[in-house]
Amino acid sequence: MLNGMKPVLYILIIVACLSLTLWTGQTPSSAATAAGGVTGDTKKAPDQCKPGKTSTQALGWRWRTGARVKVYYLRNHFSVADTDALTRAVKNWNDALSDLDSRIQFTVRGERESISEDDASITVMRGIPKGKDRVGELKYYSLSNGVQYMVVIVGPDVTDASALTSLMVHEIGHSLGLADCYGCQRGTTAMAAFRDNDKGNSVYAPSECDRQVVSQGYAGMLASTGQLVPAR
């Protein structure tokens, strides 16, 4: 009897080992899903994204997860054509963010008389950016009551519609945590340098690499704190 059962026991052992192997192989995926899901925020960066060459890094501030950021234009600072060009940049970022876990959305609220100090707001205005040869600037304000807002300053020499779109895409990128990439090839990232004051950087919507860096930035945030977290 015992000798006759040996083949059966061997078969049962082999089946048990195979089952354990298959179960073990599925465990990481299940664990990742339980911890928050394998989503677009954690997928591998595209092969063309080379840090410092075609892709920037995260460095700055990020809006709270799920924020609805209000965008205003200071009255009498821009023509209708100007605001159309700036709004195009807002739409392009919304399109890029639509399926990311950050759930950020920018909403253009039109003109206003003064800088908005509302939480999660950006006021766009004409002015002289701080720093040599700069054509745009993003200023960040954090109040003691927890309110955080930003101001985008557009240099007076930036008048071409395409350049305005390019600049606004760049500055919104900063608001989401993207750093300048002076060594990046022009046309590969919204964070590359401008060719000159009124020609932009040949990027009018965030690249796939820009989108990926934002994804990774938000994936690394402790969203449960509800705070803007400085990028590392």
Side-chain angles (χ1 to χ4, degrees):
M1 286 289 293
L2 291 176
N3 289 336
M5 291 186 65
K6 282 184 179 180
V8 176
L9 289 174
Y10 290 152
I11 292 171
L12 290 175
I13 291 170
I14 291 170
V15 170
C17 290
L18 287 173
S19 298
L20 180 61
T21 301
L22 292 172
W23 180 83
T24 304
Q26 292 173 352
T27 300
S29 176
S30 301
T33 302
V38 180
T39 68
D41 277 0
T42 56
K43 69 181 182 181
K44 181 179 180 294
D47 291 339
Q48 72 268 24
C49 298
K50 309 296 183 185
K53 295 183 179 179
T54 60
S55 179
T56 187
Q57 62 179 333
L59 182 65
W61 301 277
R62 306 186 188 103
W63 300 108
R64 296 180 182 92
T65 300
R68 296 296 181 263
V69 183
K70 302 175 291 292
V71 179
Y72 299 99
Y73 305 126
L74 214 57
R75 192 178 303 281
N76 297 324
H77 280 224
F78 301 99
S79 68
V80 173
D82 290 344
T83 57
D84 285 347
L86 296 167
T87 299
R88 193 172 305 117
V90 176
K91 179 185 181 301
N92 290 345
W93 261 114
N94 278 339
D95 291 344
L97 294 169
S98 61
D99 63 345
L100 301 187
D101 281 353
S102 62
R103 302 188 302 280
I104 303 297
Q105 184 176 24
F106 296 91
T107 304
V108 175
R109 294 292 187 89
E111 295 185 328
R112 59 177 291 127
E113 297 291 342
S114 59
I115 291 173
S116 170
E117 296 183 0
D118 294 340
D119 191 34
S121 67
I122 297 176
T123 304
V124 189
M125 60 179 288
R126 288 285 186 183
I128 306 299
K130 185 178 180 180
K132 183 180 180 182
D133 297 329
R134 296 184 67 178
V135 295
E137 180 183 7
L138 180 79
K139 289 187 174 182
Y140 165 74
Y141 297 87
S142 179
L143 307 184
S144 58
N145 61 0
V147 169
Q148 291 136 333
Y149 63 95
M150 303 187 193
V151 176
V152 170
I153 299 174
V154 179
D157 294 333
V158 186
T159 57
D160 178 76
S162 294
L164 285 168
T165 299
S166 182
L167 177 62
M168 189 66 175
V169 169
H170 181 97
E171 300 303 340
I172 292 177
H174 278 317
S175 84
L176 289 162
L178 300 184
D180 286 314
C181 189
Y182 297 111
C184 283
Q185 299 169 20
R186 191 170 289 108
T188 62
T189 169
M191 309 315 293
F194 272 35
R195 287 183 290 173
D196 60 34
N197 289 355
D198 207 24
K199 289 195 182 293
N201 60 13
S202 301
V203 177
Y204 310 104
S207 70
E208 184 61 28
C209 300
D210 296 331
R211 185 178 178 279
Q212 179 66 21
V213 176
V214 171
S215 296
Q216 292 172 342
Y218 275 94
M221 287 178 65
L222 298 177
S224 60
T225 64
Q227 299 292 323
L228 280 172
V229 179
R232 290 183 175 84

